[in-house]
Amino acid sequence: LLTANPRLFLFYGLENGAFAGVGHSPRFADYREPGESGYRLDDEERMEGMQKHLDSCVDYSGSKVPCVLKPGENYIECIDDDCTSLQKCPDEESQRACWDLPTEEERSFCESKIKWCTLYVTKTVPANYEEGPKRGYIPYTIYCVDTTGIPTQTPGQNSESGQDGLGNCYHE
């Protein structure tokens, strides 16, 4: 599909509706696994599921480094521990006063357009780590893809932007 229309963006998600990534060219795609960045490294119970994220970053030389937020970086923290509290999303349709509409049919249609968003706050990692625990993040990954969108760096198997053939792609 991307080969047929090189200006096309493909957005893809998980079965539960969570956004997973975007294919933005015939050669590259990107992905961020769902989850909450800003998880506390001193929370042993929560770290069981987050350890794979903490251990998945590399620096420019390819050496492993922990995925830890730096002082001054922002992260999102859910209001409750399980991220289950919801509020109406800030878009116009969700904020509309459906109860003021004259007919039940109009109210029902209006209410069907309401979207619900997780209740969260944006926080900043303190400049001095002594003020709070270190926090990890879930990395964002960019990778090379073949003509079917499957990640690969196999020589001769990558889609070529604007061309009919296959080529090479190496993403560092």
Side-chain angles (χ1 to χ4, degrees):
L1 189 56
L2 284 173
T3 304
N5 188 350
R7 294 185 182 179
L8 184 67
F9 281 76
L10 292 179
F11 295 90
Y12 53 95
L14 306 178
E15 288 182 12
N16 68 2
F19 173 73
V22 58
H24 49 84
S25 82
R27 296 182 61 145
F28 302 108
D30 48 42
Y31 174 76
R32 182 188 179 276
E33 190 165 323
E36 184 183 338
S37 284
Y39 56 89
R40 292 172 53 138
L41 301 184
D42 63 351
D43 184 345
E44 290 181 26
E45 183 179 323
R46 177 134 176 154
M47 279 303 296
E48 281 184 33
M50 301 308 257
Q51 191 67 44
K52 67 179 181 179
H53 301 300
L54 182 64
D55 297 336
S56 64
C57 290
V58 294
D59 63 16
Y60 287 107
S61 70
S63 300
K64 282 190 163 199
V65 294
C67 299
V68 176
L69 291 169
K70 296 178 178 80
E73 291 183 324
N74 292 333
Y75 63 96
I76 292 173
E77 187 174 276
C78 292
I79 298 299
D80 61 4
D81 288 338
D82 297 328
C83 296
T84 56
S85 296
L86 301 175
Q87 65 182 355
K88 288 183 180 181
C89 295
D91 63 280
E92 189 175 322
E93 281 185 327
S94 297
Q95 294 299 318
R96 193 167 176 209
C98 298
W99 61 86
D100 282 345
L101 296 172
T103 68
E104 179 62 34
E105 184 178 334
E106 287 176 295
R107 286 190 293 273
S108 292
F109 180 75
C110 175
E111 288 171 357
S112 74
K113 299 293 183 183
I114 295 173
K115 293 180 264 334
W116 295 91
C117 294
T118 305
L119 189 58
Y120 65 87
V121 292
T122 302
K123 294 189 172 184
T124 302
V125 176
N128 180 351
Y129 266 129
E130 303 306 317
E131 296 175 27
K134 289 192 176 186
R135 295 184 174 270
Y137 66 90
I138 299 172
Y140 189 69
T141 307
I142 299 175
Y143 52 88
C144 305
V145 294
D146 65 14
T147 57
T148 63
I150 303 297
T152 183
Q153 292 192 78
T154 304
Q157 295 297 308
N158 296 100
S159 295
E160 286 285 347
S161 181
Q163 299 179 15
D164 293 332
L166 295 173
N168 300 329
C169 171
Y170 303 98
H171 200 276
E172 298 177 19

